[in-house]
Amino acid sequence: MTVTVRFAPSPTGHIHIGNSRPALFNWLFARKEKGRFILRFDDTDLERSKAEYAESIEKDLRWLGIEPDVIERQSERVPSYDAAAQKLKDAGLLYPCYETPDELERRRSRQRALGRPPVYDRAGLKQTADERAAFEAEGRKPHWRFVLPNHDGDPFETSRTDVTWDDLCRGSQSVDLASLSDPVLIRADGTYLYTLPSIVDDIDMGVTHVIRGEDHVANTGVQIAIFEALGASAPIFGHHNLLTTRDGEGLSKRKGALSIGSLREAGLEPMSVASLAVLTGTSQAVEPLPDMNALVEKFDLSSVSRSSAKFDPEELKNLNARLVHDLPFEAVKDRLTGMGVGGGAGFWEAVRGNCETVGDATLYWQVVTGPVTAHVDDEDRDFIARARELFPEGDVTEDTWGAWTAALKAETGRKGRGLFMPLRRALTGMDHGPDMKLMLALIGRQNSLDRLP
Ligand code: GLU
């Protein structure tokens, strides 16, 4: 059977680096297993779901290097959910409940006061057709609950029923269905909560592995029971730890914190974002990998740790700088052209070691082409004037700097910082930057002489 996975965001906001973790885990898993990756929009919440968010999620995933094989939308599949709901109703496994949210809350408070777990007592399941008709006559609409298989024939006599699965990240897991309330699958307004559509899709789309955040562990016991009630076998599950910032603060989609769009706009490389999102919170070292193939090689769900995956947003900058320092010219050529940066491979190789982002190259291109405001301290004026006179004849090459500074050293007795820094400042307007031997060759004779007053 072809390995099939899905990333299933609700298009109710932009995705952030934390959401990219399950997306990438599924993508890498599919690549590793030569399987299929479905992008499924969980958009049954019509009020909060927006087409613009779905578009931005697609764009962000593609930027990260994720190319879905198929895109599905739950809003287009409601008849399949209706059919599954009918099947459960026919089997007596989906029953109407007429309590209002207030009534349910009061009931739960009473249970808590008595020291009992606030589990729904299946009152709806006891109601007769007449009682239901009376609620309907009052104008009440039912919500619908699934009867969990936590009993031996009498649903009012529940007994411990462990659902177990071998989790790809967490090892053996189990949930006692007797500790849970029957889940609501259909709201009183007739719309579906996420649970049933997700299961129906996973069945219809042949999903073999569900890889998602550990916030879904408790749902999994319920979902396995519903897969079975629909006559399907459940997929294999893997629940990974969630990415959080150092102080343990979760990342919220709606706050826009560390959104993929903002990281892209900050000029970060997709592979530094992907490397951090995947490798944080695993037993592997967090290092910037050059491409998706290298990340596929490194990726291993069993290396995901049980504690949370904490990261410092500053780490992203370091990873990005490390990645940029090794980027070959071919990889950045078109982007440099787009930014108006010339100089070919020679320029890129001279400056990349000083760039945190590829965009920083524009700064050094400006240094090469000018204008540059020369910076000369008063005590260096004579030295700079002499430097102008001793500027070597002929073509400016990578050897010119060595010959020039050797001549200046012999003539003035200056050495080290006192020799090099005034020249760097005059020629580049900065007191740090790429190797001057390369910069001088790029700046060339005329620009150099113009900057030596
Ligand atoms: N829409 C769900 C979420 O974003 C999907 C969970 C799942 O992968 O099953 O949490």
Side-chain angles (χ1 to χ4, degrees):
M1 195 195 285
T2 312
V3 163
T4 303
V5 295
R6 81 298 193 279
F7 172 55
S10 302
T12 54
H14 299 290
I15 52 168
H16 55 63
I17 190 164
N19 309 124
S20 78
R21 188 168 169 86
L24 285 159
F25 275 17
N26 279 290
W27 172 248
L28 296 170
F29 191 82
R31 292 283 74 78
K32 205 163 196 133
E33 303 293 332
K34 311 219 172 337
R36 294 166 68 238
F37 175 98
I38 301 172
L39 169 59
R40 187 186 85 199
F41 287 115
D42 285 1
D43 57 354
T44 51
D45 182 343
L46 295 177
E47 234 156 69
R48 286 176 45 225
S49 299
K50 296 222 159 51
E52 68 192 80
Y53 290 133
E55 274 162 34
S56 107
I57 291 171
E58 255 189 85
K59 178 176 167 189
D60 290 347
L61 293 180
R62 287 188 207 279
W63 179 74
L64 282 168
I66 297 175
E67 297 284 340
D69 293 299
V70 193
I71 299 182
E72 300 279 2
R73 290 185 165 72
Q74 292 195 326
S75 55
E76 292 166 1
R77 294 186 27 82
V78 174
S80 304
Y81 312 144
D82 291 343
Q86 194 55 50
K87 190 168 169 186
L88 295 177
K89 284 179 190 171
D90 293 346
L93 294 175
L94 192 59
Y95 61 98
C97 299
Y98 290 86
E99 296 91 346
T100 63
D102 271 357
E103 285 165 358
L104 287 171
E105 188 43 48
R106 273 201 301 272
R107 200 175 295 180
R108 282 193 290 264
S109 308
R110 267 201 309 278
Q111 285 170 308
R112 282 193 209 98
L114 294 169
R116 298 198 193 125
V119 174
Y120 180 61
D121 61 4
R122 293 185 161 151
L125 195 56
K126 274 197 198 117
Q127 277 150 4
T128 62
D130 284 350
E131 284 166 328
R132 288 176 184 160
F135 282 127
E136 297 276 347
E138 266 177 39
R140 289 204 197 196
K141 294 270 175 262
H143 53 276
W144 295 77
R145 289 186 191 260
F146 171 73
V147 192
L148 287 171
N150 52 12
H151 58 88
D152 290 327
D154 177 358
F156 301 102
E157 278 299 321
T158 59
S159 55
R160 187 180 178 111
T161 313
D162 287 327
V163 173
T164 57
W165 72 95
D166 196 10
D167 195 284
L168 292 174
C169 306
R170 300 163 61 91
S172 175
Q173 297 289 294
S174 104
V175 171
D176 173 14
L177 295 183
S179 69
L180 303 174
S181 297
D182 285 343
V184 176
L185 302 189
I186 309 176
R187 299 184 186 91
D189 66 2
T191 59
Y192 290 96
L193 280 106
Y194 137 85
T195 313
L196 185 64
S198 178
I199 293 164
V200 171
D201 288 347
D202 289 343
I203 297 171
D204 290 356
M205 296 170 194
V207 169
T208 55
H209 296 75
V210 169
I211 301 166
R212 57 187 178 188
E214 63 190 11
D215 47 337
H216 286 287
V217 168
N219 295 337
T220 298
V222 167
Q223 293 186 2
I224 290 175
I226 302 176
F227 272 104
E228 286 169 5
L230 289 171
S233 48
I236 295 168
F237 289 91
H239 294 90
H240 61 77
N241 51 5
L242 303 178
L243 210 55
T244 70
T245 50
R246 279 254 180 270
D247 52 12
E249 185 193 319
L251 299 161
S252 158
K253 187 157 48 176
R254 278 172 290 276
K255 270 193 247 153
L258 291 162
S259 71
I260 299 297
S262 68
L263 299 176
R264 178 174 56 236
E265 272 153 35
L268 294 174
E269 298 301 302
M271 280 312 299
S272 53
V273 176
S275 302
L276 181 122
V278 169
L279 298 174
T280 304
T282 70
S283 55
Q284 319 249 34
V286 181
E287 56 178 332
L289 294 172
D291 54 39
M292 233 6 128
N293 290 339
L295 200 50
V296 169
E297 278 298 305
K298 192 106 200 248
F299 168 73
D300 177 5
L301 276 181
S302 66
S303 76
V304 170
S305 57
R306 291 294 293 271
S307 51
S308 67
K310 290 192 179 164
F311 78 104
D312 176 352
E314 285 297 308
E315 273 175 64
L316 261 178
K317 281 194 200 154
N318 298 337
L319 285 183
N320 201 70
R322 283 167 62 192
L323 194 68
V324 168
H325 296 169
D326 288 335
L327 281 179
F329 177 61
E330 276 310 308
V332 294
K333 194 168 139 196
D334 294 344
R335 284 153 73 192
L336 292 178
T337 308
M339 293 187 278
V341 171
F347 168 76
W348 173 247
E349 280 154 22
V351 304
R352 65 181 174 180
N354 289 78
C355 293
E356 278 191 355
T357 65
V358 173
D360 289 349
T362 54
L363 173 76
Y364 296 115
W365 185 240
Q366 163 77 30
V367 167
V368 167
T369 55
V372 161
T373 312
H375 179 110
V376 181
D377 288 339
D378 282 345
E379 72 258 28
D380 294 324
R381 291 215 172 271
D382 292 347
F383 170 72
I384 292 294
R386 195 74 191 109
R388 188 174 207 285
E389 287 160 13
L390 289 180
F391 199 84
E393 294 298 324
D395 286 346
V396 182
T397 67
E398 289 179 14
D399 297 327
T400 307
W401 174 258
W404 187 32
T405 51
L408 270 166
K409 182 177 178 181
E411 171 96 11
T412 64
R414 286 197 183 213
K415 53 185 194 286
R417 198 180 152 81
L419 173 68
F420 301 121
M421 189 54 85
L423 295 173
R424 177 184 282 283
R425 283 200 184 134
L427 292 170
T428 70
M430 300 165 74
D431 46 18
H432 64 274
D435 188 346
M436 280 308 293
K437 135 180 153 169
L438 304 176
M439 288 304 275
L440 185 67
L442 289 162
I443 294 169
R445 170 175 302 278
Q446 197 51 53
N447 274 342
S448 297
L449 292 175
D450 290 349
R451 296 175 197 178
L452 297 170

